[in-house]
Structure formats: C-alpha cells, structure tokens
Amino acid sequence: MAEQDWLAGQFEQNRQHLQAVAYSMLGTVSEAQDAVQEAWLRLGRSDPGGIGDLRGWLTTVVGRISLDMLRARKARREVYPGSWLPEPLVEDPADNGPEHEAVLADSVGMALLVVLESLTPAERLSFVLHDVFAVPFDDVARIMDRTPDSARQLASRARRRVQAAPQPDRDVALQRRVVDAFLAAARGGDFEALLQVLDPDVVFRMDLGPVSRLAHRPLTGAVPVARQVLATAPRFVHLAQPVLVNGEPGALFGTREAPVAVIGFTIAGGRIAA
C-alpha cells in the first residue's frame, strides 16, 4: 500500500504535465483526460522498480497512447464537414498581473494547434514530444518503432510547417487592442474598420460540429472574411464577453457554463491572421 500511495502521489504531481502533452497531441480535453487515465492504468500494471525516470516514462506512455488515438480517429475526420478545430481552453481575462499573463502567453496557442492538425500522427508526435516537451529523439523513435534519424526527420518536416504559418505576436496587450478593435468594428457594422484589423490573407475557419448543415470550408482574404463577419455578427456581437482562448485574447458568446460560441484569434504583425 505504501508503494501504491507513493506512485499515486508521484502521478498526481505529473498529471498537469501529462495533460498538457496529451492535449497538444489530441486537441481535445476529454481525449487528453482519457489518455492520461490510460497511462495511470498502465503504470499500475508495470514494475515501478524498473522505471528510472518516472516523469519521462509517463510522458512517453502518454505519447504512445495519443499516437494510437490519433491513428484511430483519422478516418472519422475524413468525413467531418467544414473545418475541424481543436477544443479551445477558455479562461476569464487575466487579473493577476503581468507574471500571470506571461505564463498564459507561453501556453500552447490555437494557432499552433491548428497547424498540428495538418500533420501526420507521426510528425505530430515527433514535433510535440521533442520540440515542445524536450523528449530525446531516441525515446520518440522507440514509441513509433523507428530509428532516431527517422524521428528527427519527421520533427524537421513538422517544424517547417509550423514555421511557415503566421507567427503570433507575443504582446498580450497588443493582441487585446486588436481584438477590441475587431469587435468594435463588427458591432458597428464598419466594413472599412474591419479591413484595417484583418490581414489581407486572413483565414476564417468555423467548426460547427459533425452534424451541422451550415458547415463550410475556410474563407481566405480580408474582403470575403469581413463580409462574412458583417453578415452575422451585428445581430449578436454585443453579447461577446472578453476571455482568454488558449492564453490569448478571444471572445465568448453565452456563459462559461453554457457557451454558444467561442472565437479565437491569431494576431501577427498587429493584424488578425486567422
């Protein structure tokens, strides 16, 4: 019992880290929780005496479980209507000062998660575990039954995709000003003001769920995106509440307990890129 209690305590100390690994791999909170729970079950079936680095062991186990889950759901995504977007992490605006905002700004943003969704499961695993969580390529390779050089190449391909995407501004105050300007323009039906805050190549993605008949593919370009916003937003944008979406300024329609919609923004170069 003493050993089991010790293991449970060590697992709880690592739970937040493991949840972050699984969420970065899977993009949904519920699946991440399932992956972490499965890791706990596998730990219970293992010999703790043979585990030298428990945190590293658990990280690779969660990575392996997440990889299997990604592969299993790939076919379901092929028939998903419109855009499939990661589940947003919604928090109230930071009120604990600049130190708290800095921590939030370093979290896994929606922009990175969207890029990760475009990768193969093996590319995503290699990049997330090595580049985000500093897992050695030898360990990453063992999860996939590949060589370390192969894992390194997968991470390199993923890294190029990440670097080619718009790189979000890290200034949270700047992000908030841009989001406020967007909401004010949408609230006032001001087409020209919207164009001022939208990047010329802005991408607008909507995830309305797997059964929606209103789903459509992403819109690209400031003019069509501004038209889409003004076609719907003035009727309900006054209900928007400022929130943090994956650590960055966004908007919530409804309440935290009963959300209707969430808007996340990727702000690059002082304009909304997505």
Side-chain angles (χ1 to χ4, degrees):
M1 282 299 294
E3 181 181 84
Q4 191 69 14
D5 291 343
W6 179 85
L7 269 182
Q10 292 296 305
F11 187 85
E12 286 305 315
Q13 288 182 23
N14 286 286
R15 181 182 290 276
Q16 185 174 348
H17 164 73
L18 299 175
Q19 184 75 17
V21 172
Y23 175 74
S24 298
M25 281 291 296
L26 298 165
T28 72
V29 174
S30 60
E31 287 181 317
Q33 291 171 339
D34 289 344
V36 172
Q37 182 61 25
E38 176 61 25
W40 166 247
L41 295 176
R42 294 190 186 186
L43 178 61
R45 297 193 294 266
S46 302
D47 175 17
I51 301 174
D53 175 10
L54 182 61
R55 183 183 178 92
W57 187 89
L58 287 169
T59 300
T60 56
V61 167
V62 167
R64 183 177 292 112
I65 294 167
S66 298
L67 179 64
D68 292 341
M69 293 173 71
L70 280 177
R71 288 169 171 166
R73 78 182 188 189
K74 185 178 179 183
R76 300 198 304 271
R77 291 283 160 77
E78 290 175 353
V79 296
Y80 195 92
S83 300
W84 188 92
L85 294 175
E87 179 182 351
L89 302 179
V90 179
E91 300 175 89
D92 292 326
D95 57 0
N96 295 327
E99 182 179 348
H100 183 61
E101 288 205 348
V103 171
L104 288 171
D106 287 337
S107 63
V108 179
M110 188 60 67
L112 175 57
L113 286 171
V114 169
V115 177
L116 293 179
E117 286 297 327
S118 70
L119 305 178
T120 67
E123 289 171 343
R124 185 166 185 166
L125 177 80
S126 299
F127 177 84
V128 167
L129 289 191
H130 181 268
D131 284 43
V132 180
F133 295 101
V135 176
F137 278 124
D138 287 351
D139 294 339
V140 177
R142 278 194 290 271
I143 294 174
M144 300 183 292
D145 293 323
R146 294 174 181 251
T147 65
D149 282 344
S150 175
R152 191 174 288 107
Q153 291 170 2
L154 287 165
S156 179
R157 286 207 300 267
R159 199 176 302 120
R160 287 195 295 270
R161 296 283 289 275
V162 171
Q163 293 170 347
Q167 301 302 302
D169 296 330
R170 304 314 303 169
D171 185 336
V172 176
L174 169 64
Q175 293 179 5
R176 185 168 287 119
R177 288 196 298 271
V178 174
V179 171
D180 289 345
F182 171 85
L183 293 174
R187 193 176 294 116
D190 191 332
F191 185 79
E192 293 301 323
L194 274 177
L195 294 182
Q196 290 298 312
V197 296
L198 296 175
D199 185 90
D201 298 317
V202 62
V203 180
F204 180 31
R205 301 177 180 89
M206 288 197 300
D207 183 349
L208 300 176
V211 296
S212 174
R213 292 176 295 177
L214 302 176
H216 59 70
R217 297 195 176 279
L219 290 174
T220 302
V223 171
V225 169
R227 287 174 177 159
Q228 173 67 31
V229 170
L230 293 184
T232 56
R235 296 198 298 272
F236 59 84
V237 73
H238 64 283
L239 300 174
Q241 303 176 42
V243 292
L244 291 168
V245 179
N246 289 65
E248 298 169 340
L252 168 70
F253 299 88
T255 66
R256 293 284 299 279
E257 294 74 23
V260 176
V262 174
I263 304 180
F265 298 85
T266 299
I267 298 167
R271 288 186 167 185
I272 297 170

